């Protein structure tokens, strides 16, 4: 099983809503990532978890709150978002948290298309 | 982090070979070079990774000259379904701690 599963596939939420994005992998990967991607732009790294601990936060606003309940699951909790937060949110995983120069293949989910109204 | 530079876009025709060159002048000694493919509204997909000379798999080939300051992804005999954005990642960008994407190359395959 080389899949990263993200739910939901589409989400429309109001600016006062609270919602969560979910990501699951069963490849035994110990590094998991959240990315945000706007149309015609490359994915932008938001958060990295390594061994279920937050290791990188790319100065993401606090209205985005990540959580890693166990080694297979990654959540992104959303609260008080703005319309400009509308984007494709991608989850990825890789085998390990490795240093520079290491060989890493990351597996990505299909993403959640988020629209904030 | 090694910065990468790729052409913004390329057009090709079905059956042709597509070569995308990525410049990475400050690549570090231990850095690997990794390429990802992304279709619209999907997550990126790993294509190929290499360190030096040439690597080939069932999808593509990766050519890396001796100085390693650039690399070329070669897609043989492209089809319409190869229309996608292709990203080159180098070193710490490709490592598990910080998978950071550059601009990518938008490849359009025409009939």
């Amino acid at each position: 099983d080389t899949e990263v599963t993200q739910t939901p596939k589409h989400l429309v939420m109001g600016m006062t809503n609270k919602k969560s994005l979910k990501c699951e992998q069963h490849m035994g990967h110990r590094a998991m990532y959240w990315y945000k991607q706007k149309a015609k732009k490359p994915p932008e790294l938001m958060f990295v978890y390594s061994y279920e601990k937050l290791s990188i936060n790319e100065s993401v606003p606090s209205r985005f709150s990540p959580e890693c309940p166990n080694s297979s699951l990654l959540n992104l909790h959303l609260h008080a978002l703005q319309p400009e937060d509308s984007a494709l949110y991608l989850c990825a995983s890789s085998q390990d948290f490795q240093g520079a120069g290491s060989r890493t293949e990351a597996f990505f989910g299909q993403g959640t298309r988020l629209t904030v109204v | 982090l090694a910065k990468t530079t790729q052409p913004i876009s390329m057009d090709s025709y079905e059956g042709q070979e597509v070569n995308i060159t990525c410049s990475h002048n400050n690549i570090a000694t231990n850095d690997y070079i990794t390429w990802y493919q992304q279709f619209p509204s999907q997550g990126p997909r790993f294509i190929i990774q290499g360190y030096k000379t040439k690597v080939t798999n069932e999808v593509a080939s990766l050519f890396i000259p001796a100085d390693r300051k650039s690399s070329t992804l070669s897609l043989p005999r492209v089809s319409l379904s190869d229309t996608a954005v292709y990203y080159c990642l180098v070193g710490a960008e490709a490592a598990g701690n910080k998978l950071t994407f550059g601009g990518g190359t938008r490849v359009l395959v025409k009939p």
Side-chain angles (χ1 to χ4, degrees):
Chain A
D1 181 4
T2 57
E3 269 197 14
V4 174
T5 304
Q6 290 188 243
T7 55
K9 287 188 168 38
H10 300 274
L11 178 63
V12 179
M13 62 184 289
M15 288 187 283
T16 58
N17 290 160
K18 284 186 182 180
K19 296 286 185 183
S20 296
L21 309 185
K22 297 187 183 304
C23 174
E24 191 168 0
Q25 57 88 14
H26 296 286
M27 294 176 277
H29 290 172
R30 303 314 299 267
M32 296 186 76
Y33 314 76
W34 279 115
Y35 287 84
K36 172 183 176 179
Q37 187 173 28
K38 304 282 272 185
K40 298 194 186 304
K41 298 291 187 183
E44 293 176 43
L45 184 65
M46 300 174 72
F47 302 104
V48 180
Y49 271 82
S50 174
Y51 291 87
E52 299 149 54
K53 289 188 173 15
L54 182 64
S55 61
I56 294 176
N57 176 343
E58 291 285 87
S59 302
V60 179
S62 60
R63 57 186 185 269
F64 295 92
S65 175
E67 179 197 19
C68 190
N70 60 55
S71 60
S72 299
L73 295 174
L74 187 65
N75 297 322
L76 185 63
H77 302 298
L78 313 173
H79 174 54
L81 294 193
Q82 302 297 312
E84 59 264 29
D85 296 321
S86 299
L88 181 68
Y89 287 84
L90 295 163
C91 172
S93 70
S94 63
Q95 188 164 9
D96 206 346
F97 184 88
Q98 301 174 25
S102 57
R103 307 191 64 173
T104 302
E105 177 181 350
F107 293 81
F108 284 80
Q110 297 279 59
T112 294
R113 174 73 60 190
L114 174 68
T115 303
V116 182
V117 297
Chain B
L1 297 176
K3 180 175 161 51
T4 59
T5 303
Q6 303 174 233
I8 293 174
S9 64
M10 298 178 73
D11 287 358
S12 184
Y13 291 92
E14 282 189 291
Q16 289 189 336
E17 179 180 81
V18 171
N19 296 307
I20 308 171
T21 296
C22 178
S23 297
H24 28 80
N25 290 319
N26 58 340
I27 188 169
T29 303
N30 295 331
D31 287 348
Y32 280 82
I33 300 155
T34 310
W35 287 80
Y36 283 81
Q37 173 193 56
Q38 187 178 25
F39 298 114
S41 297
Q42 293 189 25
R45 181 176 73 111
F46 174 92
I47 301 176
I48 197 165
Q49 185 179 68
Y51 182 79
K52 62 179 179 180
T53 63
K54 177 183 173 183
V55 179
T56 297
N57 61 23
E58 64 278 5
V59 176
S61 294
L62 180 58
F63 298 92
I64 305 168
D67 66 7
R68 304 199 329 121
K69 293 185 184 300
S70 67
S71 58
T72 299
L73 174 73
S74 181
L75 306 172
R77 297 180 300 281
V78 293
S79 64
L80 297 177
S81 62
D82 292 314
T83 293
V85 179
Y86 293 83
Y87 295 99
C88 165
L89 285 72
V90 173
E93 297 174 81
N97 59 340
K98 201 158 183 169
L99 195 64
T100 305
F101 289 80
T105 299
R106 193 170 297 272
V107 173
L108 174 63
V109 180
K110 302 175 183 177

